[in-house]
Amino acid sequence: MRWARGGRRRTRCFASVAFAAALATTACTAPGDGGEAPATGAPAPSASPATPPAATAPLPGPRIVPGPPRLTADRTGALVPRVAAMRTDGFAAAARWATPPGTTALGDALTARVETALRAYAGERGAAWSPGVDIVPGGARDACWGGSSTGTTTHRLAIDCAVVVASQTLIGERLVVTRRDPVAGTSVTREVWYADGAGGGLFDGTALYRAGGEHRVLALVAEALRAAGRIAPGDEPYAALDAAGARAALADSAVTAAGVVVTLPVTSASGERLTSVHVPARLLDPFLSDTGRSAIAAAASGAPYAPPSTPAGADPVDCTLVACVSITFDDGPSSLTSGLLDVLDRERAPATFFVQGGAVESRPEVAVRIVGSGHEIGNHTWKHPNLTKLPDEEVRSEVDRTQAAIAAATGEAATSFRPPYGASDQRVRDLLGLPVVVWDVDTLDWQDPGPAVVADRAVGWSSRGSIVLMHDTHEQTVEAVPAVIDGLRGRGFALATVEEQLGGVLPDAGTIVSHGPR
Ligand code: NI
């Protein structure tokens, strides 16, 4: 991965010490100036604090603003929202973050950062990380936009995110890590991560400035603090910092269309409080790196975020970190499946389809689309017989003909099997040559109870690791799917294919799977 810092680029592995050293950590309990509310999730003001001046107004100088920018859902819709949470009698931990679609350096880095913090926090309390649902209000519905609650226990870890910039190929995301402990008190770590493009260019807030310019930027920050009476006239609170200290003080730097918002703790007679200062680009310019200039230019363009183009089912998910559920559709492809795929693609929701060979032969293009969108395809026999009532030869023929039809259409055979009616016995399983995927949540959607009932069952009956049985041959089921996806995400589930739930490794042939990790 390329790592840009101060305009220089060098190769680094992820989890770099250099990045960790640039984090802004504050051991404080005092609230900020309204922009710092990670534990309660009260949203900061939605608009960027940087408002371009009217043509006739005097040019504004550096000034205190309520907090760093926090883009609203309409600007962050292209990002994939993530939630991971765990609650025990002794502690609660919850994280919200958002990643670009598909596999990206930024997504990998943010997820690794969150994972490390969550697993370490649970480990320090003698627990293995085990994700739960129904913990974070709103779940994984909106990227970095919604509430975050970890309950009332006094031992808490909360990681909240805010997207500070999403324009062209540039994404900037701020993570606020808050640890509350009745003995040690509260500590807050603030990080701003940026990436330009899907392939790399990962950098942090300090990379916005050219090396050696940090004290000049901090002098502009001090100017705003003096003007607002936060520090005494003539006070230069950052002058004594060494180069590394000055750089670290600027780690929480959020790009806006008109400059940068620097957030840092400010000590005054009334104690320490986090304060955000907007410094206009025209004053910053001599001290910006090339990276910083292009980041502000991207934000100023007002252009929407152009996410990497990846299939809907290609967003990586680790079902040991987040609570997963798999929605599965049997008996297709049917005339309804294309419409269902439209919904799944729009929602970036991966699914698993257990297809019948005869149906694939009739609609090979739909099978191609299932695989091309990143969904999983499994074998569901040719004509849907109860295999336990068939002789060996016919069992083999049902499976093999279907494998051949899937392979002819998509180029690859299925790697899992679902028996019609869920009916198998040892003899049948020995004949299959494939693992047997059944389910633990049966929506009984084939009885056509109405879309609302199908959705209520799929959402309400799921627990971590569930495999939900539905059929893409029923109109009411396809109608229910938007509510199924929204409801599951609202509880905090991530959608995953069955294979993803199992960490990409299906069990041996003949083994029965009815759910993922739980
Ligand atoms: Ni079936």
Side-chain angles (χ1 to χ4, degrees):
M1 144 193 339
R2 282 181 309 156
W3 190 276
R5 181 180 293 281
R8 287 174 295 135
R9 288 180 190 278
R10 58 180 188 264
T11 304
R12 268 192 185 279
C13 310
F14 171 64
S16 133
V17 174
F19 200 108
L23 305 183
T25 302
T26 313
C28 70
T29 51
D33 282 5
E36 199 61 49
T40 59
S46 59
S48 160
T51 307
T56 54
L59 291 172
R63 68 189 198 287
I64 290 178
V65 292
R70 182 170 193 152
L71 300 189
T72 45
D74 57 320
R75 297 296 303 275
T76 59
L79 298 174
V80 180
R82 313 275 186 174
V83 159
M86 175 177 177
R87 188 163 49 201
T88 70
D89 291 341
F91 70 89
R96 302 170 57 85
W97 72 110
T99 59
T103 300
T104 64
L106 178 65
D108 288 353
L110 289 167
T111 300
R113 171 68 180 104
V114 167
E115 176 169 17
T116 302
L118 294 178
R119 290 194 194 279
Y121 189 81
E124 285 164 25
R125 281 148 191 81
W129 179 256
S130 177
V133 292
D134 305 323
I135 297 172
V136 177
R141 278 200 176 108
D142 294 316
C144 305
W145 189 253
S148 170
S149 166
T150 50
T152 54
T153 171
T154 51
H155 292 269
R156 283 189 267 162
L157 174 70
I159 303 177
D160 258 310
C161 56
V163 178
V164 300
V165 61
S167 200
Q168 299 175 352
T169 56
L170 178 74
I171 279 286
E173 185 167 334
R174 185 169 182 261
L175 291 184
V176 178
V177 184
T178 307
R179 290 176 66 127
R180 291 182 198 281
D181 182 286
V183 179
T186 298
S187 75
V188 181
T189 304
R190 296 159 289 116
E191 310 165 15
V192 188
W193 302 68
Y194 296 92
D196 199 355
L202 190 62
F203 56 94
D204 67 12
T206 67
L208 301 173
Y209 312 106
R210 71 171 172 75
E214 295 88 351
H215 278 100
R216 306 292 296 273
V217 178
L218 287 167
L220 291 166
V221 171
E223 191 182 316
L225 299 176
R226 279 193 299 272
R230 294 294 172 83
I231 57 175
D235 197 358
E236 290 287 357
Y238 309 109
L241 292 174
D242 64 12
R247 209 159 183 79
L250 292 171
D252 190 353
S253 286
V255 165
T256 76
V260 173
V261 173
V262 178
T263 301
L264 69 191
V266 174
T267 307
S268 65
S270 57
E272 188 182 76
R273 63 198 299 201
L274 280 175
T275 304
S276 295
V277 172
H278 184 263
V279 187
R282 73 186 159 77
L283 299 179
L284 274 179
D285 191 71
F287 319 118
L288 290 174
S289 64
D290 292 345
T291 302
R293 280 199 193 91
S294 37
I296 293 172
S301 75
Y305 173 53
S309 174
T310 57
D315 302 329
V317 56
D318 175 354
C319 298
T320 68
L321 176 65
V322 304
C324 290
V325 61
S326 296
I327 54 174
T328 70
F329 298 96
D330 286 10
D331 300 355
S334 77
S335 59
L336 303 172
T337 308
S338 284
L340 171 59
L341 288 166
D342 291 342
V343 173
L344 297 175
D345 286 354
R346 189 181 71 226
E347 298 293 332
R348 296 197 72 81
T352 303
F353 290 84
F354 291 97
V355 297
Q356 289 182 224
V360 170
E361 198 175 60
S362 306
R363 294 189 167 84
E365 73 289 349
V366 182
V368 168
R369 196 176 154 199
I370 289 171
V371 173
S373 295
H375 305 296
E376 184 180 357
I377 201 162
N379 184 319
H380 194 47
T381 73
W382 190 268
K383 278 193 304 198
H384 212 269
N386 182 335
L387 297 177
T388 62
K389 300 189 187 320
L390 293 188
D392 290 4
E393 188 183 314
E394 287 182 41
V395 170
R396 283 200 202 93
S397 163
E398 283 284 335
V399 176
D400 294 349
R401 279 183 77 195
T402 301
Q403 286 295 72
I406 294 170
T410 69
E412 10 180 319
T415 51
S416 65
F417 180 82
R418 174 169 284 172
Y421 318 105
S424 73
D425 53 24
Q426 194 58 54
R427 177 188 68 91
V428 166
R429 290 193 292 274
D430 287 345
L431 291 167
L432 293 174
L434 291 168
V436 177
V437 176
V438 288
W439 55 84
D440 67 335
V441 173
D442 185 352
T443 60
L444 301 171
D445 62 329
W446 54 270
Q447 296 173 345
D448 286 335
V453 175
V454 173
D456 283 351
R457 289 171 179 169
V459 173
W461 294 352
S462 285
S463 57
R464 182 188 171 205
S466 279
I467 298 174
V468 181
L469 172 63
M470 294 183 281
H471 298 81
D472 54 329
T473 49
H474 285 254
E475 223 162 289
Q476 293 185 359
T477 299
V478 175
E479 276 176 46
V481 166
V484 170
I485 295 168
D486 186 62
L488 289 170
R489 287 179 171 161
R491 291 188 60 198
F493 286 108
L495 296 173
T497 65
V498 173
E499 193 171 337
E500 280 175 320
Q501 281 224 61
L502 302 173
V505 184
L506 287 160
D508 293 341
T511 306
I512 298 178
V513 175
S514 60
H515 58 80
R518 51 175 50 157

